[in-house]
Amino acid sequence: MLYTELLGVLLFFLASFVLAIPLGKYIARVYAGEKTLLDPIFNPIERTFFRLSGIDASRQMNWKQHLLALLTINMIWFLLAMFILMNQSWLPLNPDGNPNMSADLAFNTSISFIVNCNLQHYSGESGVSYFSQIFALMFLQFVSAATGMAAAAVLFNAMKERISDKLGNFYDYFVKSATRILLPLCVIVSVILLFRGTPMTWEGKDSIITMEGDTVQVSRGPAAAFVAIKHVGTNGGGFFGVNSAHPFENPDYFTNIVEMIAQTIIPFAMIFALGFYLKRKRLSWMIFSVMTLGFALLVIPTIISEVQGNPAIDAMHVDQSLGAMEGKEIRFGAAASAYWSIITTVISTGSVNAMHDSTMPVSGLTQLLSMMVNAIYGGCGVGVLNFYIFIILGVFISGLMVGRTPEFMGKKIEAREVKIAMIVALFHTFLILGGTALAAFIFTLHPDIGWLNNPGFHGFSEMLYEYTSSSANNGSGFEGLGDNTPWWNISTGIILLLSRFIPIIGPIAIAGILANKKYIPESAGTLKTDTGTFGLMVFAVMVIITALSFFPALTLGPIAEYFSLYSF
Amino acid sequence: MKEHILPAIKLSLICILFFSGIYTSLIWGIAQFSPNQGKGFVVKDRDHIYYENIGQAFYSDQYFWSRPSAVSYNAAGSCGSNKGPSNADYLALVQSRIDTFMVHNPGIKKFDIPVDLITASGSGLDPHISPEAARIQVKRIANKRHLTEEKINNVVNECIEKPFLGLFGPEKVNVLRLNLKLEQL
């Protein structure tokens, strides 16, 4: 029994890995503008896109123009989403008669979907209409993922070995990411889901009488199309309240495999795409290995602690051989749920197939750490951007150690770049710890405020998790937190905005500045960045920054809970 | 920024039309060829219609019970308990579930109660229980229905769904299908 569960976990990883390499090659070709198989379909479609919107997709942009275009279009999406969510009650496709969102909830939800986070302070069944799901939220899932990927494409372009400020066209990268990469994958995934039981209907709730004679309702909706992009775009926002734990959203073990691969494949592929694009495959392998090392260190203890189960339930002398099953589904089992909880937190998907709030303290710790590091695989496009920051810091520190001006890809890294990198790295820490400290302070003033579903250390973890998830643009939650209040909606909304755009602006600025610098060909004295030694260096930088920043907060939450639950 | 606003608005509208409109219509079109036209898989029993994937609450002694649920199996919504592992109230609730189970299932041993029967699922709608959770209820159902345990055990064995491709993931039993089969005995 346990053996088939572990075999399943192995399959998730290997299948994603094997599929990601050819996809990475394809992505590199798309961004380099080379010929691909899908050209005959997408060339005319994209030409129509650009002609109708009056965009010259061949105009080269420098890094500032890229960021301007990116931020402008994101602002328009925000206004659009706010309008739809606050008027959904009278807009079409609302068979269940769901009400308008309040202003603070709409603010949080719009931002959360624009920044690819998908923190959900509403519940899909009762909080949004089908119109909002499809025309606001699902639309944002496509375009936010494409935004992240376009930003990564700019980075790829800037890392070329030459001197230039011409870094391609933002709209070109953006549209191609959505049409050529996201869309085909979504069609495949949603068709598989359809035939395994995920609904795709415009009909509202059904009413049935159960075998015991109770009358219950069953929520349905156009879920299959939505669930596909939710994973392919590493968005994570579920159609139904409990996300991929819902038996319609993730009907069986096979769909679980498909959804797992769907969310893993683009983040994996982007790493390989970088190598194919720059013709530096060793660099890709270095990055992938460092990330996989980090991933293994997080996922293995999680699986062990979930499979072992809750010691407090062991003390009741029942059969806990299935593992810790509170908040988990039988069709996935403890091992697959544990694996998913780490994939979804490292990759910033934030979809869940089990409730993280009910996982063991070790798992809570690893889930939090995954989002605190926030540079292992990472979300659609932005994973590479986040890791780039750590590379810059790694190069800088190694340069200091050997007493030479640090260089990366033939460009000198100087004070300005390192300052930007350090601001980006520390801002993440500041947002998480600052937010949690404020919330904890308010809670101590008003202990009866009704936020927390659990007392003690675990309650603190619920608050810490919410801000960590926001700042990592992840979107999963310790869902016991009563988070649909103005405080949580507005404070996390602001953190989401900052934590999305600073880590996009920072790396693009660094890469843009470097692209314009003098190119120094590699020599015997150059620090090699595609070696195992340098990989370990970057890994050490990640570990040190994370440990120094977050150890005290983690001690108050999951670590304290661990020592209270396990008696020695 | 000005030069970007108008193109950005136009591009956004085209993207909505394409990704929300055309993509969704395409998938909806394909759904018309899927089982029950994408309205959720159903099981028909005489004039009753049930959803195969949506668990139901079973509490009579004559039926196999489902897992505890935070939403009482009303699929108008979905929710887990979100109780942390060290929460004292939660642990007391689990203990009371064990006690209730012991009262309704005389003659079974406490350390044989599988954990899925005393813990709430993530969705609150879990349609499955583990094979062990089905087997441990056989004695109670056999007594209640005046049938042999062997007969009920056969029903359970017929309903066990093997791991995916026989290799990946856990074994499970769909409680609704199990109880429908039970009614046919």
Side-chain angles (χ1 to χ4, degrees):
Chain A
M1 180 88 175
L2 181 60
Y3 145 83
T4 56
E5 287 194 45
L6 293 179
L7 217 53
V9 165
L10 218 56
L11 175 77
F12 297 150
F13 187 83
L14 290 178
S16 312
F17 172 66
V18 167
L19 292 170
I21 295 179
L23 181 67
K25 200 165 194 171
Y26 170 75
I27 292 176
R29 293 184 74 93
V30 168
Y31 290 143
E34 291 167 17
K35 255 194 146 93
T36 61
L37 268 178
L38 297 176
D39 283 354
I41 307 173
F42 288 117
N43 278 344
I45 293 177
E46 287 157 8
R47 270 201 299 274
T48 317
F49 268 62
F50 293 129
R51 203 184 57 239
L52 291 179
S53 45
I55 288 169
D56 173 12
S58 62
R59 189 172 72 93
Q60 294 285 317
M61 297 178 171
N62 64 28
W63 67 269
K64 285 180 188 158
Q65 290 166 323
H66 268 290
L67 290 175
L68 201 62
L70 185 153
L71 294 174
T72 311
I73 199 164
N74 271 266
M75 196 184 67
I76 286 163
W77 297 336
F78 171 70
L79 299 174
L80 214 105
M82 279 293 277
F83 174 78
I84 294 178
L85 294 174
M86 290 182 69
N87 292 283
Q88 58 184 1
S89 70
W90 59 267
L91 285 166
L93 298 175
N94 188 11
D96 296 331
N98 290 336
N100 293 334
M101 273 193 186
S102 65
D104 57 305
L105 181 58
F107 170 79
N108 185 280
T109 308
S110 307
I111 289 179
S112 156
F113 277 77
I114 284 167
V115 305
N116 200 254
C117 173
N118 298 199
L119 205 61
Q120 295 172 294
H121 290 179
Y122 64 92
S123 203
E125 292 94 335
S126 52
V128 280
S129 67
Y130 293 165
F131 188 84
S132 298
Q133 294 266 35
I134 296 298
F135 288 87
L137 305 182
M138 194 185 80
F139 159 69
L140 291 176
Q141 292 187 327
F142 268 102
V143 294
S144 67
T147 301
M149 295 174 71
V154 178
L155 181 81
F156 288 9
N157 194 324
M159 284 166 78
K160 280 184 188 166
E161 294 173 357
R162 45 133 203 208
I163 308 165
S164 173
D165 61 353
K166 294 189 172 58
L167 304 177
N169 182 286
F170 171 75
Y171 299 111
D172 185 44
Y173 289 148
F174 163 73
V175 170
K176 279 183 175 166
S177 305
T179 53
R180 290 173 187 237
I181 301 166
L182 297 172
L183 185 69
L185 290 172
C186 285
V187 171
I188 297 170
V189 172
S190 45
V191 169
I192 293 174
L193 290 175
L194 268 181
F195 284 85
R196 304 296 292 202
T198 302
M200 185 70 200
T201 174
W202 300 101
E203 290 179 20
K205 287 190 173 72
D206 194 7
S207 193
I208 60 162
I209 298 171
T210 67
M211 279 183 76
E212 289 268 19
D214 304 327
T215 305
V216 296
Q217 291 186 305
V218 177
S219 282
R220 298 176 294 176
F226 190 98
V227 178
I229 180 62
K230 150 188 139 185
H231 281 123
V232 171
T234 68
N235 296 282
F239 190 89
F240 299 101
V242 287
N243 215 300
S244 279
H246 197 290
F248 272 163
E249 197 148 339
N250 195 358
D252 57 28
Y253 201 80
F254 178 59
T255 59
N256 195 58
I257 297 173
V258 171
E259 291 182 19
M260 179 75 68
I261 295 173
Q263 62 181 309
T264 321
I265 188 166
I266 290 186
F268 276 19
M270 286 304 273
I271 302 164
F272 295 112
L274 176 73
F276 287 117
Y277 187 92
L278 297 173
K279 303 199 169 48
R280 277 178 176 261
K281 287 182 208 160
R282 278 182 62 102
L283 183 68
S284 286
W285 283 110
M286 184 280 283
I287 298 175
F288 189 77
S289 312
V290 171
M291 290 177 169
T292 303
L293 172 65
F295 177 66
L297 289 176
L298 292 165
V299 81
I300 292 169
T302 313
I303 293 177
I304 292 174
S305 78
E306 292 305 311
V307 166
Q308 278 181 343
N310 186 346
I313 289 183
D314 264 339
M316 298 174 191
H317 304 293
V318 291
D319 172 15
Q320 206 178 189
S321 54
L322 290 171
M325 288 309 288
E326 183 71 34
K328 292 196 183 61
E329 302 281 301
I330 289 292
R331 62 191 180 283
F332 310 136
S337 303
Y339 180 87
W340 180 303
S341 81
I342 297 303
I343 273 288
T344 197
T345 42
V346 292
I347 281 184
S348 99
T349 316
S351 65
V352 296
N353 74 350
M355 296 299 113
H356 290 189
D357 212 346
S358 299
T359 50
M360 296 302 107
V362 172
S363 315
L365 176 78
T366 49
Q367 289 155 10
L368 282 163
L369 275 174
S370 303
M371 296 184 288
M372 286 164 172
V373 176
N374 202 24
I376 298 172
Y377 307 132
C380 253
V382 293
V384 180
L385 297 183
N386 288 337
F387 194 81
Y388 182 74
I389 292 293
F390 284 110
I391 293 184
I392 296 293
L393 295 176
V395 166
F396 174 66
I397 293 171
S398 329
L400 290 184
M401 286 165 74
V402 295
R404 191 180 297 129
T405 318
E407 285 167 24
F408 178 55
M409 308 285 284
K411 307 284 177 144
K412 272 195 179 130
I413 311 272
E414 290 167 299
R416 196 167 160 210
E417 292 83 68
V418 177
K419 273 183 206 158
I420 299 175
M422 213 53 230
I423 289 171
V424 174
L426 290 181
F427 217 80
H428 183 54
T429 312
F430 171 71
L431 291 177
I432 294 173
L433 297 181
T436 311
L438 271 178
F441 178 66
I442 293 174
F443 186 80
T444 51
L445 291 183
H446 308 278
D448 50 356
I449 200 163
W451 284 348
L452 306 181
N453 193 36
N454 290 287
F457 307 124
H458 197 86
F460 177 77
S461 300
E462 286 181 337
M463 296 191 281
L464 178 63
Y465 195 104
E466 187 72 3
Y467 284 113
T468 310
S469 173
S470 304
S471 187
N473 278 191
N474 183 274
S476 64
F478 270 16
E479 291 299 341
L481 185 76
D483 49 18
N484 183 14
T485 64
W487 166 262
W488 288 102
N489 284 336
I490 295 168
S491 68
T492 55
I494 294 167
I495 288 182
L496 286 169
L497 271 183
L498 294 171
S499 62
R500 164 73 164 183
F501 293 108
I502 288 174
I504 285 183
I505 294 170
I508 298 259
I510 297 175
I513 295 167
L514 291 184
N516 224 355
K517 281 192 184 176
K518 203 175 87 187
Y519 176 67
I520 315 150
E522 275 183 26
S523 68
T526 309
L527 171 74
K528 293 243 185 309
T529 48
D530 51 8
T531 60
T533 318
F534 183 71
L536 286 176
M537 186 71 205
V538 176
F539 187 77
V541 172
M542 285 163 60
V543 171
I544 291 167
I545 291 184
T546 310
L548 289 178
S549 309
F550 296 112
F551 185 71
L554 291 170
T555 311
L556 294 175
I559 296 177
E561 191 186 14
Y562 178 86
F563 285 109
S564 68
L565 193 58
Y566 293 77
S567 45
F568 294 94
Chain B
M1 185 174 258
K2 241 184 187 165
E3 49 158 325
H4 288 293
I5 290 182
L6 205 60
I9 293 176
K10 287 186 195 162
L11 183 59
S12 302
L13 293 177
I14 296 164
C15 284
I16 291 190
L17 193 74
F18 189 72
F19 295 109
S20 299
I22 295 177
Y23 161 71
T24 313
S25 309
L26 172 73
I27 304 303
W28 182 82
I30 298 172
Q32 302 316 304
F33 300 97
S34 71
N36 200 28
Q37 282 131 34
K39 295 174 191 171
F41 289 180
V42 290
V43 185
K44 292 200 173 86
D45 177 51
R46 292 184 296 268
D47 50 343
H48 286 286
I49 289 181
Y50 308 116
Y51 284 88
E52 184 186 349
N53 289 321
I54 302 294
Q56 296 186 3
F58 290 101
Y59 36 79
S60 317
D61 283 345
Q62 54 164 337
Y63 288 126
F64 285 97
W65 294 350
S66 305
R67 302 181 60 192
S69 158
V71 292
S72 311
Y73 286 95
N74 186 354
S78 56
C79 201
S81 73
N82 288 314
K83 296 295 183 193
S86 59
N87 186 326
D89 294 343
Y90 159 70
L91 294 169
L93 180 66
V94 173
Q95 185 61 55
S96 77
R97 286 177 187 148
I98 297 174
D99 298 340
T100 310
F101 193 84
M102 296 294 286
V103 171
H104 283 265
N105 295 270
I108 60 128
K109 295 187 191 75
K110 195 168 92 168
F111 56 75
D112 285 333
I113 301 176
V115 70
D116 52 330
L117 284 178
I118 52 167
T119 50
S121 62
S123 60
L125 308 170
D126 197 341
H128 298 106
I129 52 177
S130 64
E132 298 78 25
R135 287 196 191 103
I136 202 170
Q137 302 185 54
V138 165
K139 195 180 172 86
R140 180 193 77 224
I141 292 165
N143 280 337
K144 190 79 192 173
R145 292 187 176 247
H146 308 294
L147 292 164
T148 61
E149 287 188 30
E150 195 196 344
K151 240 182 171 167
I152 312 272
N153 258 324
N154 286 340
V155 175
V156 171
N157 287 334
E158 280 171 42
C159 284
I160 292 178
E161 298 170 33
K162 292 275 161 215
F164 177 61
L165 301 180
L167 283 175
F168 306 111
E171 290 186 332
K172 58 192 191 295
V173 180
N174 185 307
V175 188
L176 176 67
R177 285 197 174 281
L178 184 60
N179 282 324
L180 285 171
K181 262 223 165 92
L182 195 60
E183 288 286 65
Q184 287 166 5
L185 281 183

